[in-house]
Amino acid sequence: NDSKMACSVRASCESWLIESLWLENAAGIIGGQPKCCKSWLGLDMAVSVASNTPCLNRFPVKSGGRALVYLAEDAVDQVQNRVQCICNNRNLSIHSLDLVVITAPTVRLDDEWDQKRLCSTMEHLKPKLLLLDPLVRLHRLDENNARDIAGLLGFLREIQRKSQCAVVIAHHASKRACARPGQGLRGTSDLHAFGDSNLYLSRDIDDIIELVTEHRSAPAHAPLKLRLQNTEGTTHLDVIETLTT
C-alpha cells in the first residue's frame, strides 16, 4: 500500500494541466499589480483548456475540458470580446469553444448563498478550470485578517478537491519590494501559501511584462517576457523572450 501511495504521489507531482504553467487540479493565484494583464493571462489559460490548444501559443494543454470564468470587473460583452481576440489569434471558432461565462452581477465567496450557487454550478457543468478575477471583488473580508481569509481559501480548496478542478484566482500585488514575488501579494501571507501553482506578472516602463512561475511540487519554468500585442485588431499576449536563471 505504501508503494502504491508513493507511485500515486509521484504521478500527481508530474501531472500538468498546462505544461510548465499550471499543475493538474491545482488551486492558486495569478498575482500582480493592476494593469499587468492578469485577466488576459487568465483568459488565455481558460481558452487554452477549453480548446485544448497551447497557452500563450507555447505551453501545451495536457488535459483539456470545459472552462468556467467570472470576471467581476468586466461586462459580459467585454469578456466575450477578449475571448474572441484570443480565438482569432489561434484560428479558433468561439462557437466551438467549451467555455462558460458566469453572468451573475456579483459573486461573493464569503456569502453562504453564493457559495451554494457556485457549488451547484460547478456540479452541473463539471469544469476542468475555474477562473475567478479579481479576488478583491469576490468578498467583503479584511484581506489582512488571516482567520477571515483562511475560511475563504478553505472554501476554494473544498471546491477544488470536490470538483477535481483547477482553480485560478487573480489577485493584486502591493507596490512593496519583496525578495519573492509571492511575498508581494496584498493581504495575509496565507494567500501566498495557498497556491499549488502561482503565476506572477510585473510590468516595466516599456510595457514588457515578466512572468514568473511557482509550483508546490514541480520546478519553476525560467521567467518569460510577454507583451500585449494588437495584430490586425486582435489583442493577445505573446511570449517575446525566455530569460535565463
Side-chain angles (χ1 to χ4, degrees):
N1 288 340
D2 290 343
S3 63
K4 289 182 180 179
M5 182 178 294
C7 290
S8 176
V9 170
R10 283 195 296 270
S12 63
C13 289
E14 297 168 358
S15 182
W16 294 98
L17 176 64
I18 304 171
E19 186 174 309
S20 300
L21 292 186
W22 208 265
L23 289 161
E24 188 173 18
N25 300 333
I29 287 173
I30 300 176
Q33 293 182 17
K35 314 304 181 186
C36 281
C37 294
K38 297 186 295 295
S39 297
W40 278 106
L41 179 56
L43 283 177
D44 199 298
M45 293 169 62
V47 170
S48 299
V49 170
S51 62
N52 208 16
T53 57
C55 186
L56 300 172
N57 290 315
R58 175 175 294 207
F59 299 98
V61 170
K62 295 297 187 179
S63 181
R66 178 168 293 152
L68 177 63
V69 305
Y70 179 67
L71 272 63
E73 294 181 334
D74 295 301
V76 174
D77 60 340
Q78 293 175 308
V79 177
Q80 183 174 348
N81 287 339
R82 290 191 183 194
V83 171
Q84 182 68 69
C85 283
I86 297 170
C87 287
N88 290 347
N89 178 247
R90 305 227 188 123
N91 295 315
L92 297 171
S93 168
I94 193 172
H95 303 294
S96 64
L97 201 64
D98 196 1
L99 186 148
V100 179
V101 177
I102 295 174
T103 59
T106 60
V107 175
R108 300 293 183 187
L109 300 178
D110 57 328
D111 180 87
E112 185 177 354
W113 172 245
D114 277 8
Q115 288 180 355
K116 289 180 179 178
R117 288 199 301 163
L118 182 56
C119 287
S120 177
T121 300
M122 295 287 291
E123 185 176 353
H124 175 66
L125 294 177
K126 295 179 171 52
K128 192 75 177 178
L129 179 145
L130 170 67
L131 169 66
L132 298 170
D133 177 7
L135 181 62
V136 69
R137 301 287 177 246
L138 302 172
H139 65 87
R140 297 187 182 92
L141 304 172
D142 178 1
E143 291 180 347
N144 293 298
N145 186 311
R147 178 175 295 180
D148 283 354
I149 294 302
L152 185 149
L153 296 178
F155 169 67
L156 291 172
R157 182 64 73 184
E158 180 183 349
I159 283 182
Q160 174 249 329
R161 288 175 174 167
K162 185 179 294 185
S163 303
Q164 289 294 290
C165 169
V167 177
V168 182
I169 311 294
H171 183 51
H172 296 312
S174 66
K175 295 182 179 180
R176 68 180 184 270
C178 298
R180 297 176 60 188
Q183 295 171 335
L185 292 174
R186 204 171 68 181
T188 173
S189 59
D190 284 6
L191 288 161
H192 178 209
F194 169 71
D196 307 310
S197 288
N198 290 331
L199 304 176
Y200 304 109
L201 298 171
S202 59
R203 194 169 196 159
D204 66 18
I205 58 174
D206 296 318
D207 281 340
I208 302 298
I209 300 163
E210 182 172 308
L211 168 61
V212 174
T213 66
E214 177 184 65
H215 308 291
R216 193 187 305 278
S217 57
H221 190 279
L224 300 166
K225 283 189 175 182
L226 314 176
R227 188 191 291 275
L228 190 64
Q229 309 274 29
N230 190 299
T231 306
E232 298 180 353
T234 294
T235 305
H236 59 280
L237 279 174
D238 260 351
V239 178
I240 60 175
E241 185 181 351
T242 301
L243 305 177
T244 56
T245 55

